[in-house]
């Protein structure tokens, strides 16, 4: 009897206690209205440009984002000069801002956009001013350790590469900094059909769906050391060389607030202490037409400081030179994990980028 | 019957006359117009004392001379045409009393006492003397009922003298108005032996009585702390009382008895889920509840970030929740008052009590310092939960720690029945670290005193004071954001209450209070060399909240009682303080800041008149109607943007821009008991309107913000609902079932297009079932079931991509969606102490299973990005499985 009591006690004590996370289906409100998203930015750099996307809100009832039928997208500077953007694809408008264009991108100048969609509904953004920042002193790799959970539920510590920056800060120049990291890697394929092999250069958005930003207005620091820009998993993309392009964007006060809100959303984990989330603010308002559509999105300007760093293949062990198999060719492309056609990868080109140095 | 009384009167008067026959009197009353003066002349002309309370204007209508008459004859002639009669008292005094009272109210015993004809009985206790008797012949009897062993006050004991009865209050005091005479006095309370005394009421007086415990061990009995029909009799509406013994038997999370969360089983009380600190009463915010530990406010009553409450149940005598009408004695909160009354120490002998649970243990020691005069009680509770965290598989939990303690000490001095002084101190601390990444800590230090004094007949005074310091901090340990952000609230409070009980059924309380606040709104310090956070300390905020109040309970007619009062608070925001100025003062924004000004003295003032009242109409012996109304205001509010405040959420005083929320609260209820009060049923409806209320903008900046008003939006709120309850309080099977329908909404310009929207704790339907099975005094099986509608939440209803590919969810309007319904079943079994009263060491065991069904009730909703640009909506459940616990309690006498 005594043994039973001891066992019962042990059982009661050691049963696990932890919170749980499960999938859930929410009943969405029935009276939701359609929404239009206008997302745009003007980047001041060596190759200044402006780009604007006009799409529908993705409401989970369709499988893809739908471009909105758009009549025109116009860039307007603070002097009232207007410049219409060309439609590069359905719902996507862009223009280079060089010395030949009616509007040039200049630090200290403000810009806004006007968008006219079907039915004459017209939307206009607030003006946003281009601010500037000091370029990073150094961008380099650090090895960091992360704990991951295996499929069997166990936890394991792994090594990752962290792209890191040291940079001076000056909050008199701008209110916030935003970083984006793109990678370009080289890969040589081995076609299974006997055609000659070729070399491809493939672009990837490393910081896709990640927000790396720093609010200068909330800090009195004058230098940022070991600032983490992105964590990358060493893989086959490192085999033949990879460049990382770090774009540092200087933001205005309003744009800093916008990215701060997005950063809050990205960090939301749903625990007891998180602030409830809300609608990310928009600086786009409707000026004409029927007001039957909700409007979302933001237009901001930024100046860019671009830094490129090449990763040494020695940083990582050799990996399989895998790339998507053309037409699902199983053997040898998929089964042996070799790259049969490097152009089958998205954003792939055989044209060597001008910054590429072997 | 009347004839019998008159015959007795005549007989007694004859005895009196005989006794006084040898003392004749002569008196000239020519020209005398006042009967009172005529009686005074008679008093001077005889060696006897003439007691009277005749109005000076009442006319004298007797003979102009009294010529050598026995005193009784003289009185007979002088009073013949008046409404007054007379009665003798023990051969040396006469009392002039209205004839109506003589005929109707006085018992045979009374005349026997007055005439001195009754045999003195050694077993009879005499109370008062004739000198203190009012002209009406009604004597006021008061006293204190105590536990014979411990000397502690017995709360809720029934005290009856003859046919007139009452119950003891929180200090064990009773007060009765009875006609003079001889009676049987009975004092009764569950768990104690009835006390029967023969008393001889001669006039106003006191009688304190100790009650011996019954042969059955007290601790195995559920103490109701109230009379059987208290739900019908009390004037107040919406008052919930839970005894500690009931609370201790409820199934709890991790075996921790939780005084505050126990009220979640009561109608109209809810929370937003496990781990949230505090409770929501009738749709109110957590910070709109005033939690009192004796005379002190508790600003944070939760340990472990809200999982447990800070009250050590070993030290508590009772807990009351005023959820409808806050008495005029209390103020400063909109919605409810929770009184947590701490016990006095044992005045007779030493006692040690303790309890061992899975994550914490507690111990208390009490006893006399001077027997019957001075006692102490002290308690300490501490957690040791780190072993549990170390046993977790997740590395982030292994690197976490959680610790809390609380300690109480109380000294009570009762030099005599007139004076009662108590002094107490309290300290608690929490420290929580998650994965060496972030953490929280918070401490409360508090000291208070209370001095009770019986000033005179029917009048008592209670002077109390408290000083408290609450400080909290949240910490980030890593990266450039590593910092410690502190907030705190200190206060000093002084309060005086005078209670006057002029007659049975009438009670008047008047008093005043002053509270001085000193608040640290925010202080930020970087942690470590890598931190880029700058140091920043906001100016302290000071305020003074004063109030005077008066409240009277009256019995208007037989069956109709009212309690009416008024409270007048006056709040001052005090400097020095840098005040921001805005281009639009009605809607302060960061962009609208036009300057600052350092101000001293009084920066802003608010004063209101708050009527409070309730009424009870007894329809039959087993049914009554009640109604109540109160106006309340709140000058200190908690700033939080999460669904529920955390212990580190900042407290904010009202100022020029942040106006105090104010509310109207109204309730109406029908109460019906059945089967000699075995079954209690009730239906209450309530409504509340808050005419000044604030909510937060989306993505507000709340930490260390010197112009916090720019993050707030002002509007109004309302809540209303109905509560149904059926309760069986006695028998082997007892418990209750309650259902609450409630709706709580807000309307704030700038949120949801200015339309009404549900608040975060709007739970439309809530059902609670508590089932107790007591096959005998020692064993209790308890089961409780709670079901409630899921609370509102704001969740993604769409998404889009930023130009650089960042996925941005589109959120619904605020609180437009609801998380799934909440349901939880808990079980517990308590093996109580043995039956032997004199056993030195006693143990009791409680085995509980929290969330027996292992239901994963969602606490919050969030999303994770999934493939193909979709996202998965996830629910986070704080308690994801059934959770068993064992608690062992012991007692050493």
């Amino acid at each position: 009897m005594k043994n039973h009591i001891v066992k019962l006690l042990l059982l009661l004590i050691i049963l696990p206690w932890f919170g749980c996370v499960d999938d859930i289906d929410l009943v969405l409100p029935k009276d939701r209205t359609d929404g239009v998203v206008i997302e745009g930015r003007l980047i001041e750099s060596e190759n200044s440009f402006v780009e604007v996307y006009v799409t529908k809100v993705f409401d989970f009832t369709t499988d893809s984002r739908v471009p909105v039928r758009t009549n025109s997208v116009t860039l307007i500077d603070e002097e009232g000069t207007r410049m219409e953007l060309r439609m590069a694809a359905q719902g996507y408008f862009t223009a280079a801002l060089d010395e030949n264009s009616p509007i040039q991108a200049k630090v200290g100048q403000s810009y806004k956009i006007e968008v006219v969609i079907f039915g004459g509904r017209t939307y206009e953004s607030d003006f946003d001013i281009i601010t500037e920042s000091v370029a990073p002193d150094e961008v380099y790799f650090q090895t960091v350790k992360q704990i991951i959970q295996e499929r069997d539920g166990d936890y394991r510590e792994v090594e990752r590469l962290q792209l890191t920056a040291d940079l001076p800060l000056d909050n008199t120049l701008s209110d916030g900094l935003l970083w984006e990291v793109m990678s370009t890697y080289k890969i040589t394929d081995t076609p299974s059909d006997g055609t000659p092999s070729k070399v491809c250069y493939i672009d990837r958005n490393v910081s896709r769906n990640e927000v790396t930003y720093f609010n200068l207005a909330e800090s009195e620091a004058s230098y940022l050391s070991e600032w983490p820009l992105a964590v990358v998993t060493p893989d086959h993309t490192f085999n033949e060389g990879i460049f990382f392009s770090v774009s540092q964007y200087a933001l205005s006060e309003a744009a800093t607030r916008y990215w701060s809100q997005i950063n809050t959303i990205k960090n939301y984990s749903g625990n007891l202490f998180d602030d409830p989330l809300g609608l990310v603010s928009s600086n786009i308002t409707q000026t004409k037409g029927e007001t039957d559509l909700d409007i979302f999105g933001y237009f901001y300007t930024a100046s860019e400081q671009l830094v490129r760093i090449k990763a040494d293949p020695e940083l990582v062990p050799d990996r399989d030179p895998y790339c998507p198999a053309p037409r699902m060719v199983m053997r040898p492309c998929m089964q042996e994990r070799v790259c049969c056609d490097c152009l089958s990868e998205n954003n792939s080109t055989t044209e060597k980028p001008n910054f590429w140095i072997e | 019957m009347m004839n019998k009384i008159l015959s007795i009167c005549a007989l007694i008067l004859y005895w009196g006359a005989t006794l006084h026959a040898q003392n004749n009197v002569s008196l000239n009353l020519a020209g005398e117009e006042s009967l009172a003066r005529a009686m005074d002349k008679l008093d001077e002309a005889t060696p006897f004392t003439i007691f009277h309370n005749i109005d000076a204007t009442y006319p004298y209508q007797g003979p102009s001379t009294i010529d050598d008459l026995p005193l009784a004859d003289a009185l007979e002639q002088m009073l013949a045409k008046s409404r007054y009669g007379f009665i003798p008292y023990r051969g040396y005094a006469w009392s002039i009393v209205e004839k109506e009272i003589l005929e109707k109210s006085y018992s045979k015993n009374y005349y026997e006492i007055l005439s001195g004809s009754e045999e003195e009985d050694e077993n009879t206790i005499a109370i008062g003397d004739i000198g203190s008797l009012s002209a009406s012949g009604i004597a006021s009897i008061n006293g204190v009922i105590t536990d014979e062993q411990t000397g502690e006050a017995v709360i809720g004991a029934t005290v009856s003298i003859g046919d007139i009865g009452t119950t003891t209050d929180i200090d064990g005091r009773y007060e009765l108005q009875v006609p003079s005479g001889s009676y049987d006095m009975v004092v009764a309370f569950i768990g104690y032996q009835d006390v029967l005394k023969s008393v001889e009421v001669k006039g106003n007086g006191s009688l304190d009585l100790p009650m011996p415990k019954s042969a059955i061990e007290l601790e195995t009995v559920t103490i109701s702390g109230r009379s059987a029909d208290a739900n019908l009799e009390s004037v107040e509406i919406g008052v919930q009382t839970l005894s500690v013994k009931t609370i201790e038997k409820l199934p709890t999370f991790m075996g921790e008895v939780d005084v505050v969360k126990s009220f979640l089983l009561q109608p109209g009380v809810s929370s937003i889920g496990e781990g949230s600190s505090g409770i929501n009463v009738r749709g109110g915010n957590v910070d709109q509840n005033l939690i009192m530990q004796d005379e002190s406010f508790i600003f944070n009553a939760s340990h472990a970030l809200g999982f447990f409450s800070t009250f050590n149940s070993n030290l508590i005598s009772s807990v009351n929740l005023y959820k409808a009408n806050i008495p005029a004695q209390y103020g400063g909160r909109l919605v409810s008052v929770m009184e947590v009354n701490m016990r006095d120490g044992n005045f007779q002998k030493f006692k040690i009590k303790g309890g061992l649970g899975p994550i914490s243990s507690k111990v208390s020691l009490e006893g006399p310092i001077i027997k019957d005069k001075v006692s102490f009680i002290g308690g300490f509770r501490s957690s040791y939960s780190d072993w549990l965290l170390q046993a977790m598989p997740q590395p982030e939990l292994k690197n976490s720690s959680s610790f809390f303690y609380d300690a109480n000490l109380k000294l009570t001095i009762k030099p005599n029945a007139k004076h009662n002084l108590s002094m107490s101190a309290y300290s608690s601390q929490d420290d929580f670290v998650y994965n060496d990444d972030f953490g929280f800590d918070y401490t409360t230090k508090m000291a208070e005193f209370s001095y009770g004094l019986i000033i005179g007949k029917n009048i008592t005074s209670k002077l109390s004071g408290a000083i408290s310091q609450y400080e909290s901090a949240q910490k980030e340990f890593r990266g450039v954001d590593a910092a410690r952000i502190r907030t705190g609230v200190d206060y000093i409070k002084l309060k005086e209450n005078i209670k006057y009980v002029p007659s049975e059924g009438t009670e008047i309380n008047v008093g005043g209070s002053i509270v001085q606040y000193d608040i640290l709104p925010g202080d930020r310090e970087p942690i470590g060399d890598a931190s880029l956070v700058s140091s920043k300390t906001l100016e302290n905020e000071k305020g003074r909240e004063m109030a005077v109040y008066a409240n009277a309970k009256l019995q208007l007619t037989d069956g109709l009682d009212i309690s009416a009062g008024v409270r007048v608070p006056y709040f001052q925001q005090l400097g020095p303080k840098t005040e921001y100025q805005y281009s639009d003062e009605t809607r302060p924004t960061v962009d609208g800041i036009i300057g600052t000004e350092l101000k001293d003295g009084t920066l802003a003032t608010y004063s209101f008149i708050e009527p409070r009242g309730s009424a009870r109409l007894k329809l039959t012996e087993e049914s009554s109607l009640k109604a109540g109304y109160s106006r309340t205001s709140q000058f200190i509010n908690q700033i939080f943007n999460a669904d529920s405040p955390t212990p580190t959420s900042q407290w904010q005083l009202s100022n020029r821009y942040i106006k105090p929320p104010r509310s109207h609260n109204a309730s109406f209820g029908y109460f019906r008991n059945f089967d000699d009060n075995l079954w209690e049923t009730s239906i209450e409806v309530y409504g509340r309107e808050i005419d000044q209320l604030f909510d937060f903008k989306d993505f507000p900046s709340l930490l260390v913000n010197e112009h916090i008003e720019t993050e707030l939006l002002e509007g109004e709120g309302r809540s209303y609902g109905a509560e149904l309850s059926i309760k069986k309080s006695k028998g082997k099977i007892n418990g209750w079932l309650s259902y609450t329908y409630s709706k709580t909404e807000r309307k704030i310009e700038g949120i949801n297009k200015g339309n009404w929207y549900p608040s975060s704790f709007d739970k439309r339907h809530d059902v609670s079932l508590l089932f107790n099975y007591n096959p005998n005094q020692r064993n209790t099986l308890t089961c409780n079931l709670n079901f409630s509608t899921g609370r509102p939440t704001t969740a993604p209803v769409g998404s889009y991509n930023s130009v650089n590919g960042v996925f941005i969810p589109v959120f619904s309007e605020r609180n437009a969606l609801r998380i799934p319904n909440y349901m939880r079943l808990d079980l517990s079994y308590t093996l109580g102490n043995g039956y032997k009263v004199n056993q030195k060491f006693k143990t009791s065991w409680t085995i509980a299973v929290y969330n027996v069904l292992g239901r994963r009730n969602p606490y919050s909703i969030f999303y994770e990005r999934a493939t193909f640009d979709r996202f998965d909506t996830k629910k986070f459940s704080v308690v994801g499985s059934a959770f068993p616990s064992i608690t062992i309690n012991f007692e050493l006498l």
Side-chain angles (χ1 to χ4, degrees), chain B residues 538-613:
Chain B
L538 301 186
E539 291 173 316
N540 275 28
E541 295 189 351
K542 295 182 175 66
R544 188 182 297 135
E545 184 180 346
M546 296 176 281
V548 290
Y549 61 85
N551 193 82
K553 279 187 193 174
L554 304 167
Q555 189 173 30
L556 294 184
T557 63
D558 189 22
L560 177 59
D561 286 28
I562 64 161
S563 172
V566 65
R567 184 179 178 88
V568 182
Y570 178 71
F571 176 79
Q572 296 171 293
Q573 186 208 356
L574 303 172
K577 171 87 179 152
T578 303
E579 194 176 82
Y580 279 76
Q581 291 160 334
Y582 302 92
S583 52
D584 181 0
E585 291 196 352
T586 59
R587 288 182 76 90
T589 60
V590 174
D591 297 335
I593 294 173
I594 55 174
T596 60
E597 184 182 351
L598 180 62
K599 289 186 172 178
D600 206 351
T602 302
L603 277 67
T605 60
Y606 295 98
S607 182
F608 306 114
I609 295 173
E610 299 177 351
R612 315 270 176 97

Side-chain angles (χ1 to χ4, degrees), chain A residues 9 12-13 17 19-24 39 58 60 63 155 180 208-209 219 224 265 270 273 276-277, chain B residues 387 392 394 532 641 797-799 804 807 811 856 860 863 865 869-871 873-875 877-878 883-884 886:
Chain A
L9 283 171
L12 291 172
I13 290 170
W17 166 54
C20 299
V21 172
D22 300 294
D23 288 336
I24 188 173
E39 272 286 313
F58 178 48
F60 318 117
D63 284 335
Y155 291 85
E180 283 176 36
R208 178 176 166 78
N209 207 34
S219 176
L224 206 50
I265 288 177
F273 317 110
L277 301 179
Chain B
W387 69 269
M392 296 292 108
Q394 296 93 331
L532 296 178
N641 190 38
V797 292
S799 71
N804 51 351
F807 170 77
F811 280 83
R856 297 182 171 185
S860 60
Y863 69 92
R865 183 168 184 154
D869 285 345
R870 288 179 170 275
F871 62 77
T873 311
K874 306 278 185 182
K875 65 174 183 179
S877 310
V878 175
F883 207 87
I886 294 182

Side-chain angles (χ1 to χ4, degrees), chain B residues 109-151:
Chain B
N109 291 333
Y110 176 68
Y111 296 108
E112 288 174 353
I113 291 165
L114 291 184
S115 66
S117 63
E118 191 191 46
E119 290 287 320
E120 290 284 354
D121 183 353
E122 286 184 358
N123 297 320
T124 301
I125 300 169
I127 303 173
D129 60 59
I130 189 68
S132 63
L133 189 65
S134 68
S136 67
I138 304 296
S140 175
I141 313 299
N142 59 41
V144 179
I145 306 301
T146 54
D147 182 304
E148 187 182 65
Q149 286 186 3
T150 66

Side-chain angles (χ1 to χ4, degrees), chain B residues 392-404:
Chain B
M392 296 292 108
Q394 296 93 331
E396 58 267 37
L397 289 179
K398 283 180 187 292
N399 293 328
S400 302
S401 66
S402 176
F403 169 78
F404 67 79

Side-chain angles (χ1 to χ4, degrees), chain B residues 316-336:
Chain B
I316 293 170
S317 62
S318 67
V319 191
N320 303 314
L321 178 67
Y322 297 88
K323 63 180 185 182
N325 293 97
I326 299 177
Q329 292 92 318
Y330 298 114
R333 295 293 187 280
L334 289 187
V335 171
S336 78

Side-chain angles (χ1 to χ4, degrees), chain A residues 141-184:
Chain A
F141 285 103
Q142 279 186 322
T143 304
V144 293
K145 290 178 179 172
Q146 286 186 340
I147 293 170
I148 60 165
Q149 189 173 17
E150 303 282 17
R151 286 184 178 177
D152 59 6
D154 285 347
Y155 291 85
R156 188 165 61 91
E157 192 175 76
V158 295
E159 284 193 349
R160 295 279 188 263
L161 288 178
Q162 178 179 282
L163 203 55
T164 309
D166 293 342
L167 66 147
L169 301 174
D170 187 344
N171 59 14
T172 62
L173 297 177
S174 61
D175 286 275
L177 298 175
L178 178 75
W179 289 270
E180 283 176 36
V181 181
M182 299 285 293
S183 69
T184 307

